[in-house]
Amino acid sequence: MVVVYSRLVDPTALLIGGAVMGFFVNGMLGGYGALISELYPTSARATAQNVFFNIGRAVAGFGPLAVGAVAAAYSFETAIALLALLYIVDIVALLLLVPERRGAELA
C-alpha cells in the first residue's frame, strides 16, 4: 500500500488512499498489547509495553529525515521501495524471532 500511495497524484485519491492506509497502519497497534502481554511476566508487562512502544516512536521520528535523505541522494521511488522493503523485513523478523505462546500459562 505504501508503494501504491506514493504513486497517487489526484487529491481525492490521496485522501481515500490515506484513509485506507491509515486504517491498516492504526489497526496493527491493536496487536502489540496482546503480543507483549504473552511475552513478559505480569510484573514487567506494562513497563515492557511502554518502553518498546516509545522506542519505536523515537526511531520512527527519524523516518522523514531518512526518507528525505534517500530521496535526495537517489530518488523518491527508491526511498519508498526501501520503506516497503523495511516492512517486509519486519514481518520476516516477527515470524522468525517472536515465539509462539499459544496455550502457555501467563506468568
Side-chain angles (χ1 to χ4, degrees):
M1 185 65 195
V2 171
V3 175
V4 171
Y5 186 71
S6 71
R7 308 300 285 170
L8 299 176
V9 292
D10 179 62
T12 304
L14 281 166
L15 181 65
I16 294 169
V20 171
M21 190 167 68
F23 175 80
F24 289 105
V25 168
N26 292 327
M28 73 179 186
L29 295 175
Y32 290 156
L35 179 67
I36 293 174
S37 292
E38 288 186 347
L39 296 176
Y40 295 93
T42 303
S43 60
R45 195 169 294 153
T47 302
Q49 286 181 341
N50 284 309
V51 167
F52 289 132
F53 184 74
N54 287 306
I55 286 173
R57 287 179 55 203
V59 171
F62 291 103
L65 178 66
V67 169
V70 172
Y74 299 99
S75 68
F76 182 68
E77 289 80 12
T78 302
I80 295 301
L82 287 175
L83 182 60
L85 180 66
L86 184 62
Y87 287 138
I88 293 169
V89 169
D90 185 40
I91 291 169
V92 171
L94 173 76
L95 294 173
L96 296 177
L97 299 175
V98 177
E100 174 60 55
R101 303 265 305 153
R102 182 177 296 149
E105 185 176 329
L106 295 177

